[in-house]
Amino acid sequence: MTDTAPLPQAAAVPAAPQGTDTPAAVPAAAPHGTDTPADAPAAASQETGAPAAPPSGLRDFYENPAVPVASGDGRSLRQARLLAAALAGRPGGTVVDVGCGDGTAAATAAPLLAGHRLIGIDWSQDALRRARPRMGAVVRGELEHGGLPLADGCADAVLFSEILEHLVDPDQALDELRRILKPGGHLMLSTPNLAAWYNRALLLAGVQPVFSEVSLRGIHGRPGSEVVGHLRLYTARALRSFLTASGFEDVKITGAPFHGVPRPLRLVDRAACAVPGAASILLAHARRR
């Protein structure tokens, strides 16, 4: 991957200076992984029309360096292989990683995406600080209140990994991703599976499913120890229908393992990937109509 060409946008928008205390009103997308929530949309200022900043508590949560911003290599590698196959024979493409987090996923995918330019976008200033050494080209942006700082139809492909489940308005988010994609451009999206094999068993036992949340302050009624802030969860059928209704076609869904599965169950989790509807993570590949 290279990072010397100018950003494919009407006017290049650099990442905000480090240490700023005025983040965008809504996370462009929460950092990569299944461990970081997205904020609720902030109300616009009645006097200026500008988006209001989120409450300081939420801002502190997003910018807290202790909040995990990376998911497992298993999902990243599978997604990168799918993208490399989709872009085969078309060198020099522009890949926009929306919600790039700390750049770990990009670094994992880099060997498979040689010859393509990767641009990382995230709302979290701390995540961008950590991503910059791994990616080079990073931009601070958001999916709402003005959209991503990129021109229409500038991207050959968009990576959108474990972000959808954090969003208050996923419809607007997919509209924005579709806007920056070229006609026929590739969307590579991943999100936790509500109907993962273990969630089916947990629900039958009356236990809150993994990946789901009832509070941003603590864990209640489900396995796990980290607050992840998921607002929406999808089954394979629901995700396919949602992408099709949002202006995408040729939707293909495969499965990926979850790095948080206990070690004794990881072989089972990998085996479940053969049946996407039961896999831990849903990987969707779709094309813009």
Side-chain angles (χ1 to χ4, degrees):
M1 294 181 294
T2 60
D3 52 32
T4 56
L7 293 175
Q9 59 190 65
V13 181
Q18 298 301 321
T20 179
D21 59 358
T22 56
V26 179
H32 265 316
T34 58
D35 305 310
T36 310
D39 191 8
S45 166
Q46 294 183 352
E47 296 181 359
T48 65
S56 59
L58 290 176
R59 183 190 301 123
D60 291 344
F61 184 89
Y62 301 135
E63 296 290 357
N64 181 359
V67 173
V69 295
S71 60
D73 289 345
R75 190 272 304 160
S76 299
L77 281 171
R78 288 179 185 234
Q79 199 168 36
R81 290 188 185 114
L82 290 172
L83 180 56
L87 295 176
R90 300 172 58 187
T94 296
V95 179
V96 180
D97 189 353
V98 178
C100 65
D102 65 359
T104 299
T108 300
L112 299 175
L113 298 177
H116 299 290
R117 180 157 189 256
L118 187 61
I119 298 170
I121 298 182
D122 207 286
W123 177 86
S124 168
Q125 191 66 273
D126 179 74
L128 289 176
R129 176 184 58 78
R130 289 184 271 171
R132 190 170 288 110
R134 296 185 173 112
M135 300 184 66
V138 296
V139 179
R140 196 177 198 191
E142 59 179 280
L143 285 165
E144 301 181 13
H145 303 296
L148 300 172
L150 299 175
D152 294 357
C154 69
D156 296 280
V158 167
L159 285 170
F160 198 54
S161 302
E162 273 113 87
I163 305 301
L164 193 64
E165 63 272 16
H166 299 282
L167 301 178
V168 172
D169 190 350
D171 302 279
Q172 183 174 344
L174 286 188
D175 287 346
E176 185 64 3
L177 299 183
R178 188 174 181 276
R179 179 188 69 80
I180 68 171
L181 275 169
K182 296 176 181 178
H186 301 274
L187 172 65
M188 312 299 297
L189 181 154
S190 65
T191 190
N193 183 9
L194 175 61
W197 60 275
Y198 40 80
N199 279 345
R200 299 182 188 207
L202 290 172
L203 279 170
L204 284 174
V207 178
Q208 187 81 11
V210 175
F211 307 126
S212 65
E213 293 279 280
V214 298
S215 171
L216 292 180
R217 297 180 179 179
I219 303 301
H220 301 284
R222 71 158 173 83
S225 59
E226 292 181 324
V227 175
V228 296
H230 291 170
L231 304 180
R232 300 180 184 275
L233 291 176
Y234 300 79
T235 64
R237 180 181 298 180
L239 183 60
R240 185 189 303 275
S241 176
F242 179 44
L243 290 175
T244 301
S246 299
F248 293 90
E249 60 186 4
D250 299 330
V251 181
K252 298 178 177 65
I253 296 180
T254 56
F258 174 46
H259 66 287
V261 168
R263 188 174 299 276
L265 297 176
R266 289 181 184 176
L267 286 177
V268 177
D269 194 44
R270 292 191 187 98
C273 294
V275 183
S280 285
I281 305 295
L282 301 173
L283 300 182
H285 173 204
R287 302 188 66 166
R288 178 194 162 179
R289 278 203 289 265

